[in-house]
Amino acid sequence: TIRLGGLGVTAAEKLIGDGLRNGNFVKQPQVTIVVLQVRGNQASVLGQVNRPGRFPIEVADMRLTDLLANAGGAAVNGADVVVLTGTRGGAPYRVEVDLPTLFGPGGRDKDVLIQNGDTLWVDRQPLVFIYGEVQRPGAVRLERGMTVMQVLATGGGLNLRGTEKGLRVHRKGTDGKVQVLQPAMDDTLREGDVVYVRESLF
């Protein structure tokens, strides 16, 4: 039995060879060690990225943007806000990071340092839904600050039977109940909102 922890490949080969020779197991041992897997410091990237998986932390000051770049960046349907979890000082750690702000003034301070065992989660981009008398009903990617008018435009606008007076937004409240709102065109929408366009009666 020999201890190899902390040794490089060459030193470990020599130590095993010396043990075989000194213990009279092999007269002229030639030992070769092939490293199959390196278990160093790693961090994981999951969710809506182009290459999810575990990645080695190769430098001491690896940042969140470096880790995300290793995973091929966020996918087309990835959200702008990502979640980093791990441990700091023996306590659970969780932080939400708004990616666009990392590239604005002072963004470097918000680009979190990555530590061993961290996991970066990129959620799916939030959606709103539009149906009724529009050209293209269905799910619409909710962009930052998106208004009712912009969602209608993304849906191809009203069809010949639709009316702006018949607009309704169905929104789930904090209590889980759905509220029906009569929005203005410049009102902003929230994730999960359902926009309904009624048929004109005239």
Side-chain angles (χ1 to χ4, degrees):
T1 300
I2 56 174
R3 185 180 297 276
L4 299 179
L7 298 178
V9 172
T10 304
E13 289 173 344
K14 183 178 184 306
L15 186 62
I16 293 171
D18 291 345
L20 291 171
R21 186 182 306 105
N22 297 337
N24 294 320
F25 294 103
V26 181
K27 289 184 179 179
Q28 292 183 334
Q30 294 187 2
V31 179
T32 301
I33 293 177
V34 178
V35 179
L36 297 179
Q37 187 176 17
V38 178
R39 292 184 179 271
N41 289 348
Q42 293 182 324
S44 301
V45 185
L46 303 173
Q48 303 303 313
V49 292
N50 291 306
R51 290 193 306 275
R54 290 178 63 83
F55 299 92
I57 301 175
E58 297 171 340
V59 291
D61 61 342
M62 186 179 197
R63 303 271 175 175
L64 184 149
T65 50
D66 299 321
L67 181 61
L68 187 58
N70 287 345
V76 175
N77 55 349
D80 289 339
V81 177
V82 300
V83 178
L84 183 72
T85 58
T87 55
R88 298 291 187 274
Y93 174 80
R94 183 185 188 278
V95 63
E96 293 187 3
V97 179
D98 188 3
L99 290 178
T101 64
L102 298 182
F103 303 97
R108 177 71 174 173
D109 298 334
K110 302 172 188 174
D111 200 358
V112 184
L113 282 167
I114 300 298
Q115 294 188 13
N116 182 42
D118 281 355
T119 299
L120 181 63
W121 168 254
V122 181
D123 206 346
R124 188 177 298 276
Q125 177 72 22
L127 300 174
V128 293
F129 304 88
I130 181 169
Y131 77 109
E133 303 302 333
V134 290
Q135 301 288 349
R136 293 191 301 275
V140 174
R141 177 184 171 121
L142 179 62
E143 303 292 349
R144 195 168 299 222
M146 200 171 204
T147 64
V148 173
M149 182 180 289
Q150 290 170 329
V151 166
L152 289 174
T154 306
L158 307 184
N159 62 26
L160 294 175
R161 295 185 303 275
T163 172
E164 292 182 9
K165 294 180 182 178
L167 279 177
R168 298 292 183 271
V169 170
H170 299 254
R171 175 175 295 162
K172 186 176 286 189
T174 54
D175 57 357
K177 294 182 179 179
V178 175
Q179 303 170 314
V180 180
L181 310 172
Q182 190 169 354
M185 281 297 206
D186 59 352
D187 284 355
T188 56
L189 292 169
R190 300 179 188 173
E191 180 180 1
D193 280 355
V194 179
V195 179
Y196 171 58
V197 180
R198 288 181 177 177
E199 183 177 0
S200 174
L201 301 177
F202 303 100

